[in-house]
Structure formats: C-alpha cells, structure tokens
C-alpha cells in the first residue's frame, strides 16, 4: 500500500512536486518527528530542537549496506551511499564524492 503523499520518505515519488506539496509534506513529517526526508538523491534535514534517538550505534548499524528505500531517510544512509560509491569496484577507480551540508 502506497503511503499518503505527506508520509512519503522520498518526495520525488509524489504525484505532484510543487512548492505547496513539498512544504506540506515536510511539515507533516516534522510533526511526526521524521526530521530527514529524501528528494531523490538529496536529503533534507530539519532541526527538531530536541533530542531524538537517531544517532546511536544500533541506528548506524541498521543503515550499513542497506538497500535504498528499505529504511526511512537518514544522514547515515547518505554517508553509506557516498562511501560505497567512492569505493565502487565497477568504476574505473575511486570516485570523488561531495556532500553539501
């Protein structure tokens, strides 16, 4: 079952991606304490202004070598994809990566 548009972890999957849909979805996710949202390969992070259990070793291990789209968006997923793309043995050599924060 497809989640409601605002519940989508990847906003690139929305039927319509305009400013109103993007902001509405981000607001809905923020209110549910889902502070990370993907838009394709871009990760949007919103400051929750409170401590959330998002960064422990257990969370880090879950995002290690996971298949994209199987877990909620997270900064650990971005780091894992960048690291493995950099070391991709199928590429002509190591590929530089850039992460803008």
């Amino acid at each position: 079952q497809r989640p409601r548009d605002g519940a989508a972890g990847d906003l690139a999957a929305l039927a319509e991606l305009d400013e109103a849909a993007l902001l509405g979805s981000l607001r809905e996710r923020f209110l549910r304490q889902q502070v990370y949202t993907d838009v394709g390969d871009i990760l949007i992070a919103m400051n929750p202004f409170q401590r959330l259990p998002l960064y422990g070793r257990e969370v880090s291990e879950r995002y290690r070598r996971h298949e994209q789209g199987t877990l909620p968006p997270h900064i650990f997923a971005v780091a894992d994809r960048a690291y493995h793309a950099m070391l991709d043995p199928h590429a002509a050599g190591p590929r530089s990566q850039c992460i803008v924060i």
Side-chain angles (χ1 to χ4, degrees):
Q1 177 178 341
R2 188 173 181 272
R4 296 185 335 261
D5 283 350
D10 187 346
L11 299 186
L14 293 176
E16 291 188 33
L17 184 58
D18 57 20
E19 184 178 358
L22 178 85
L23 293 175
S25 294
L26 288 173
R27 182 178 190 285
E28 185 176 331
R29 291 179 60 74
F30 181 82
L31 292 174
R32 289 193 316 248
Q33 296 185 330
Q34 295 173 320
V35 297
Y36 292 119
T37 304
D38 285 329
V39 183
D41 287 334
I42 298 169
L43 179 72
I44 297 174
M46 298 175 286
N47 187 342
F49 299 105
Q50 62 180 298
R51 291 192 180 273
L52 297 175
L54 297 174
Y55 306 108
R57 180 177 298 279
E58 180 182 308
V59 176
S60 175
E61 290 299 321
R62 263 189 304 202
Y63 282 89
R64 182 177 244 158
R65 299 294 275 179
H66 80 287
E67 188 173 326
Q68 190 169 359
T70 60
L71 292 173
H74 198 286
I75 191 69
F76 290 160
V78 172
D80 187 67
R81 284 193 307 267
Y83 177 75
H84 287 96
M86 180 179 67
L87 300 177
D88 185 358
H90 303 301
R95 295 185 329 191
S96 295
Q97 298 292 304
C98 176
I99 298 175
V100 178
I101 298 175

